[in-house]
Every structure is written in C-alpha cells, then in structure tokens.
Amino acid sequence: MTNRNRGKVSLEWILILCIFSFALGMLFSNRIWVFPKSEDQIMPLGRRPGDLAAISHDCATDKDKRELIGEFSKAHEAIENVRSLDSSIAKLRMELPSTKNSRKIGNFENFSTVAVHLDSTETRKRTFMVIGINTAFSSRKRRDSVRETWMPRGKSLLQLEQEKGIVVRFMIGHSATSNSILDRAIDSEDAQHNDFLRLEHIEGYHELSAKTKAFFSTAVEKWDAEFYIKVDDDVHVNLGTLAATLARHRSKPRIYIGCMKSGPVLHQKNVKYHEPEYWKFGEEGNKYFRHATGQIYAISKDLAKYISINQPILHKFANEDVSLGAWFIGLEVEHIDDRNMCCGTPPQCEWKAQAGNVCVASFDWTCSGICKSVERIKDVHAKCGEDAATLWNALF
C-alpha cells in the first residue's frame, strides 16, 4: 500500500511539473503566434519560408504549402522594397538643402547649372543685349521723346530684336493700389506701342535699388542675353555704338561697364542723395567705392544671373548706382571705365561725332540726365546721333 501511494504521488507531481514547465515556456518564449484564416493552422511570425514548410507538413497539402511560401516570399520582398525606398527618400532629403543653398550662395561655379535650368523655359529667347529704360508713371512725355529719337518703334522695334538681337523696353512696376488709374494708363500705352517690361515692383523714388534688382531678375528670366543694360529715360543713346562697344568685351565672363565715379558720401539729412548708412563708409567726408554712374551702365550675363539668384540677400543703399557697385565690389568682376558712355550734350558730343568718335550716351551732369529732355532730346539726337545705317549694318 505504501509503495503504491508513493507512486501515485510521484505521477501527480510529474504532471504538475509538466504543466508548470509548459507555462514557463509560454511566458518566456519570444515567439508570437498568429492564427491565419484557416482554423487548423498556427504559424509563428518571423519564420523563414523553409521553416514554414517543415511546420505545416502535417496540416497542409503540397499545393497549399507552395502557395503559402510564395505569398510569404512576396510579402518579405515588398517589405525590403519599402525599406529601400525609405532609405532613398531620406538620402534625398539630406541632399536637397545643400543643393538649394549652393544655388543661393554667390559663387560663379553654379552659373552653368542655373543656365541649363533657365534655358529650358520655352519663353526665354537668346539675344545679344537687353536694354531696360527706367521710367515712371508721370514720364509719358519723356517716353514719347525717346520713341521719336533713338528708340525704334512698332515693326522696327520687333525687327531690331529678331535681326540684331537687341531688345529695348521701358521698365516699370505697379502702383501701390491694385488696378489703379496709373496702371491702366500704362496698360493702354503698352497696348499701343508694345514696348514695356512690367516688373513685380511697387514704384517709388526711394525704391530704385529694389527696382534695379527686379529688372535684372525679370530680364534674366525672360531673355538669355549676353549683356543687360539699364538706362534712364532722359538720356540719349546710340544703339549701334553701344552694341559695338559691348561686342569688344563679349569674351570676358564678368564685366561691369560704365562711367566709373567715386562721389562723396552725403551724411547731411534733407539733401539730395543723402545716405542714411553713411557710417558704414568710415568717417564723415569719405567717398564711395568706385561704381558706374546710374544714368547708364551695362553688365554681362553672369553678373545679371548673380543678382537674380541672390536678390533676397543683396543690400540696398539709398542710391541705386551705389547699391549695384556694392553688389560687385567683393567679386571677381572687371570694372571698365568707358567715358564714351557719359558724353555731355552739344557741343561736346557734337565735336566727338565730327571727329569720328560717336558717343554711346549723352546727358548733362548737372541734371543727371538731359536738362529739359522732352524739349532738347531731339536737338541732341540731330547733332550727336549716329547714322541710321550704323545700327542696321553693325556686325557683332
């Protein structure tokens, strides 16, 4: 009896130990069991296709096993593809900021890349030079006087662009009030002459530096030119002579050409050309660095692109010509001082023309343009203007 009871107790303890061991195994097992649609299959997640075949041997046919293994392989491949795609996207996100920054930094090594991007636009035309004539809402009479003298009109303006690659436009922004009577007047004038370049810019005398940036940026987007020129609407220009002058420098990558000067920095308030940031130029009485006078100047393609790319961070001084000079002062730019771009009005430009040295541009220093240009520009054109054939026969 005693031996029989001992045996019985031993079997019970063995059963308890088995159950306890099974529970511990379930508790500490790192495998997760999932139940497929089929109620008589239990499949551990994370097993390889080969392990799956061995486990499912007694509960699935050979066909079921092959299908199940195939589906598992496809799922595994899809997961790997998603991981690879995520990795590629993360890599691109890391690279994009540096690419964007490199295009914003003013270094000329990026211009070839930018040029490819700009040249891909359908509306961008290749030309030799683009001339922007700075004008204002109140300058209708000045514009008409320019059209009647040195600027071609109508079909001749279009012919000049198509045959010579010379684009001439009056450049102007918008008024502070949307669709104002001033804007409508410019729209009507443009419909008549088709010779305006409208800028995303609010017009104002103290906003000329911003207007200059807007002009070069807009012109670069619209035309792929070798040179970009800014001129005031009270200056007389000989287009053929200007083109021939610039053509002599077309092999140089970065030129800034005009009548270079270095005027005093005016710190006194309430005077014309007052410079609020005079302290940046040293002690009172100092002069500006060399820069081209604002009546007319020309820059090459790379410099225009430089302005277009970096315009958000280019500082604007009170005077537009000083601002332009400041943007180039620290760059590898060749400054060309050409005094034929700032001849005086008759008799000076007349004497030079008679001597065979026709001026590029003529104006009066005392007026920063031709004094009373509406009345006098015709006389200047008659005495100092180039021969009509000079422009159309020019080779450049």
Side-chain angles (χ1 to χ4, degrees), residues 265-267 275-289 317:
V265 181
L266 301 178
H267 65 278
E275 179 58 74
E277 296 180 276
Y278 63 89
W279 58 273
K280 289 185 177 181
F281 298 91
E283 302 298 326
E284 293 182 5
N286 278 4
K287 292 185 176 182
Y288 288 114
F289 40 77
F317 288 102

Side-chain angles (χ1 to χ4, degrees), residues 58-344:
D58 294 329
C59 55
T61 64
D62 290 341
K63 182 178 180 181
D64 291 336
K65 287 189 288 183
R66 285 194 297 270
E67 290 178 354
L68 191 58
I69 293 172
E71 293 297 326
F72 188 88
S73 300
K74 291 178 181 178
H76 182 73
E77 183 179 354
I79 291 171
E80 291 300 321
N81 290 338
V82 170
R83 287 176 180 171
S84 176
L85 181 60
D86 287 342
S87 176
S88 300
I89 293 173
K91 184 177 179 182
L92 284 173
R93 285 176 176 171
M94 292 177 65
E95 292 177 352
L96 279 175
S98 60
T99 304
K100 183 179 180 181
N101 290 338
S102 68
R103 290 185 61 182
K104 287 295 182 184
I105 294 173
N107 93 41
F108 295 107
E109 294 177 359
N110 296 315
F111 284 147
S112 58
T113 303
V114 176
V116 172
H117 171 70
L118 291 173
D119 289 344
S120 64
T121 59
E122 295 180 0
T123 58
R124 198 163 182 263
K125 301 176 182 178
R126 290 187 177 275
T127 59
F128 176 63
M129 64 182 185
V130 174
I131 301 172
I133 307 173
N134 184 34
T135 192
F137 290 117
S138 59
S139 299
R140 173 64 190 262
K141 291 184 178 180
R142 282 189 180 182
R143 291 191 291 274
D144 285 340
S145 68
V146 169
R147 293 183 181 113
E148 292 170 4
T149 53
W150 62 268
M151 178 182 177
R153 292 177 290 177
K155 293 182 179 180
S156 295
L157 185 65
L158 182 61
Q159 183 183 1
L160 184 67
E161 181 176 340
Q162 294 175 340
E163 296 184 8
K164 293 297 182 181
I166 299 176
V167 178
V168 188
R169 297 286 189 277
F170 289 105
M171 59 162 171
I172 194 168
H174 299 269
S175 65
T177 305
S178 178
N179 196 32
S180 69
I181 189 172
L182 297 175
D183 290 309
R184 292 198 298 271
I186 294 296
D187 292 339
S188 176
E189 187 179 346
D190 190 26
Q192 179 183 357
H193 297 283
N194 195 28
D195 57 4
F196 277 91
L197 176 64
R198 300 303 297 271
L199 309 176
E200 291 299 324
H201 168 76
I202 303 300
E203 286 291 320
Y205 178 78
H206 297 291
E207 297 298 328
L208 291 179
S209 295
K211 186 175 183 179
T212 299
K213 289 200 292 185
F215 162 63
F216 286 119
S217 298
T218 305
V220 164
E221 290 177 2
K222 192 173 179 63
W223 294 284
D224 179 19
E226 295 184 50
F227 297 96
Y228 298 84
I229 301 95
K230 177 261 177 180
V231 60
D232 288 339
D233 61 4
D234 56 352
V235 172
H236 181 271
V237 179
N238 286 315
L239 292 175
T241 306
L242 173 61
T245 299
L246 295 179
R248 293 196 293 268
H249 303 286
R250 68 194 314 172
S251 62
K252 303 171 183 177
R254 295 176 294 277
I255 69 161
Y256 170 36
I257 181 170
C259 291
M260 300 295 165
K261 65 174 185 177
S262 180
V265 181
L266 301 178
H267 65 278
Q268 300 91 345
K269 293 183 178 180
N270 302 321
V271 298
K272 193 175 183 180
Y273 308 127
H274 165 64
E275 179 58 74
E277 296 180 276
Y278 63 89
W279 58 273
K280 289 185 177 181
F281 298 91
E283 302 298 326
E284 293 182 5
N286 278 4
K287 292 185 176 182
Y288 288 114
F289 40 77
R290 286 283 174 182
H291 61 279
T293 185
Q295 285 84 354
I296 181 172
Y297 50 74
I299 62 176
S300 55
K301 177 192 297 187
D302 281 0
L303 296 183
K305 287 181 180 178
Y306 174 84
I307 294 173
S308 178
I309 294 169
N310 295 284
Q311 61 168 321
I313 60 172
L314 294 178
H315 184 69
K316 303 187 295 288
F317 288 102
N319 300 300
E320 165 253 341
D321 52 356
V322 173
S323 295
L324 186 77
W327 302 337
F328 301 151
I329 197 67
L331 306 179
E332 288 294 337
V333 174
E334 182 177 353
H335 291 56
I336 298 176
D337 183 19
D338 191 329
R339 309 316 288 185
N340 268 348
M341 295 183 72
C342 55
C343 295

